[in-house]
Amino acid sequence: MAQAHRRQSQGNEVRGSGQSLAHRPRGGMMRSVGRSDPPAIQGRRNNGSTPLANDDTGKRYTSIFQFLQLCNEAPNIVAREIQLDLKSFQKVVLNSQKVGESNDDMYKILLILLKLTKVGAVQILSETFNSRSHQFHCKLENYVRTVKSDKEFKTTIELFYAVLKLLPQTWTFLPVKHLHGNLSLPLSSSSSEIFRSLLSAYENEQQKDETDTEDDYCEYKNTSILPLTSEINNEMYQPKIRANIVEGPYDSWEHYYDTQFKLLKEDFVASLRRGICDYRKGLDVKEISDIRIYDNVRFVGLSFSTNGIVLTIKFDCTKLRKINWEHSKRLIYGSL
């Protein structure tokens, strides 16, 4: 058994069935410390065509080219492959300078995202259309401004409409208003119909947001800083958050505080929610990159120190014998 002493206010532990899920946040409220990459992924082939990822052995997705090959796969395979290597998807696709260097690449990325909507992959879509994927949103906005064919336009509006239906709160991250510059294109009747439906859904969500009152801006005062069970046990959970205002003023100080607090909290909670939901699905612990799992955790006491309250825990180290606990970053501030 290993024993660890940490300040109570510095750690997040989720207990259940004798196991503990230690959160490894991506940023925001706590810095991410001691995160280890998931096992490398080996390329294998699906029906003799696209090399797919397998997170048990071998090589992970490391380039945008590898991800673009997924546009030729079935929606369920696309969702599975990205879910197995979500960290690389975020790094290579959502936060890379190379994304969107050509319209063809961006078109393939939208095709991949559209396939994700077909199987309701809300977890991946939530990672794509949020405030942390600013780099991708800028590239997407530039792409939308330069769409040159009905095929590209139709794929774009089908994606936006599907995302809006699955995740209404993402309307603030969809560059729908820039689509009006493409209306000079010779559009098919089906494209025009989808576009009208998209505009209607988009305007409805916009109107809902514009009806916010000063009382809505004060919600942060009564919002729990610690994540609630409902916020971390349901991967379909969608917090009520607004986009960060980059250009123009906020309506008030309360508007600013409420927006920033909710964005900061979701930045912290999102990865905890992903990890717990993946664990509850029965995924192998090696496939879960957002949390670490400790077996047979026992909380044995509280004490006080000059730094605050100290929580003493014990847990089973049978599967962790290779870890040098004296120098490991696993249990330091920010890793729980």
Side-chain angles (χ1 to χ4, degrees):
M1 303 287 283
Q3 191 175 59
H5 298 265
R6 287 294 176 265
R7 289 178 59 189
Q8 186 182 38
S9 60
Q10 293 175 345
N12 283 316
E13 288 287 330
V14 181
R15 288 176 288 171
S17 302
Q19 291 185 317
S20 171
L21 308 182
H23 178 211
R24 289 180 288 173
R26 296 180 182 281
M29 289 185 174
M30 294 186 181
R31 61 189 180 91
S32 177
V33 178
R35 295 187 60 189
S36 58
D37 290 337
I41 293 178
Q42 182 179 31
R44 69 181 185 279
R45 298 204 172 264
N46 178 49
N47 298 326
S49 57
T50 308
L52 300 180
N54 182 322
D55 82 311
D56 294 327
T57 57
K59 187 179 180 182
R60 291 166 49 194
Y61 287 113
T62 57
S63 70
I64 184 64
F65 174 77
Q66 290 173 301
F67 276 109
L68 294 181
Q69 303 308 302
L70 290 174
C71 72
N72 299 315
E73 299 296 337
N76 61 322
I77 294 177
V78 172
R80 178 183 179 277
E81 292 299 311
I82 294 179
Q83 188 66 56
L84 285 175
D85 205 8
L86 186 57
K87 182 178 178 181
S88 291
F89 177 74
Q90 293 165 328
K91 179 180 179 180
V92 176
V93 178
L94 302 183
N95 298 302
S96 172
Q97 292 283 354
K98 295 182 179 180
V99 171
E101 289 183 344
S102 73
N103 273 19
D104 185 56
D105 285 357
M106 201 64 183
Y107 173 69
K108 290 180 179 178
I109 291 174
L110 298 194
L111 277 178
I112 291 171
L113 294 175
L114 183 58
K115 291 188 177 189
L116 292 174
T117 67
K118 304 294 185 184
V119 292
V122 292
Q123 183 177 357
I124 304 172
L125 293 169
S126 295
E127 284 299 306
T128 305
F129 297 99
N130 65 35
S131 59
R132 296 185 296 278
S133 302
H134 179 70
Q135 184 88 29
F136 175 74
H137 297 159
C138 291
K139 298 294 179 64
L140 179 59
E141 183 177 316
N142 291 335
Y143 172 78
V144 166
R145 294 175 185 270
T146 58
V147 167
K148 297 180 180 179
S149 70
D150 177 68
K151 181 182 73 170
E152 294 176 341
F153 185 76
K154 187 175 182 180
T155 297
T156 303
I157 58 179
E158 281 183 342
L159 170 64
F160 288 179
Y161 186 57
V163 170
L164 204 54
K165 287 298 183 182
L166 286 171
L167 304 166
Q169 295 289 344
T170 61
W171 76 268
T172 54
F173 304 107
L174 300 174
V176 173
K177 60 183 179 181
H178 299 298
L179 287 167
H180 291 284
N182 304 113
L183 296 183
S184 58
L185 292 172
L187 302 178
S188 64
S189 58
S190 60
S191 294
S192 298
E193 184 177 348
I194 296 171
F195 186 52
R196 285 192 293 270
S197 299
L198 170 62
L199 288 180
S200 176
Y202 182 82
E203 289 169 359
N204 286 338
E205 294 303 324
Q206 191 174 33
Q207 288 172 4
K208 290 179 185 178
D209 194 64
E210 289 174 351
T211 58
D212 282 348
T213 65
E214 196 64 31
D215 289 338
D216 294 316
Y217 294 156
C218 293
E219 288 180 352
Y220 74 95
K221 295 180 179 180
N222 300 314
T223 301
S224 170
I225 295 178
L226 295 176
L228 304 177
T229 302
S230 59
E231 295 174 329
I232 59 177
N233 277 351
N234 181 8
E235 66 178 338
M236 300 292 288
Y237 175 79
Q238 282 298 306
K240 182 182 177 182
I241 55 177
R242 306 177 187 87
N244 185 35
I245 296 179
V246 179
E247 297 180 2
Y250 285 84
D251 294 343
S252 63
W253 281 107
E254 300 290 358
H255 182 199
Y256 173 78
Y257 291 146
D258 190 73
T259 300
Q260 298 302 318
F261 172 81
K262 290 178 178 178
L263 286 173
L264 187 63
K265 180 177 178 179
E266 178 59 15
D267 190 37
F268 164 69
V269 173
S271 54
L272 181 58
R273 182 189 307 121
R274 280 195 305 272
I276 291 176
C277 289
D278 285 346
Y279 177 72
R280 295 180 68 189
K281 289 176 186 176
L283 293 183
D284 188 285
V285 294
K286 295 179 181 178
E287 298 177 8
I288 305 174
S289 61
D290 291 294
I291 59 174
R292 286 195 175 102
I293 299 171
Y294 299 92
D295 296 322
N296 302 318
V297 176
R298 287 193 298 149
F299 295 80
V300 297
L302 291 173
S303 59
F304 296 91
S305 72
T306 55
N307 292 322
I309 299 175
V310 176
L311 174 66
T312 304
I313 64 173
K314 289 184 178 181
F315 55 88
D316 188 355
C317 290
T318 305
K319 300 177 182 178
L320 306 170
R321 291 173 178 170
K322 294 182 180 180
I323 296 177
N324 185 338
W325 293 101
E326 292 296 324
H327 299 92
S328 172
K329 295 181 179 179
R330 277 179 173 247
L331 298 177
I332 67 172
Y333 173 71
S335 67
L336 288 178

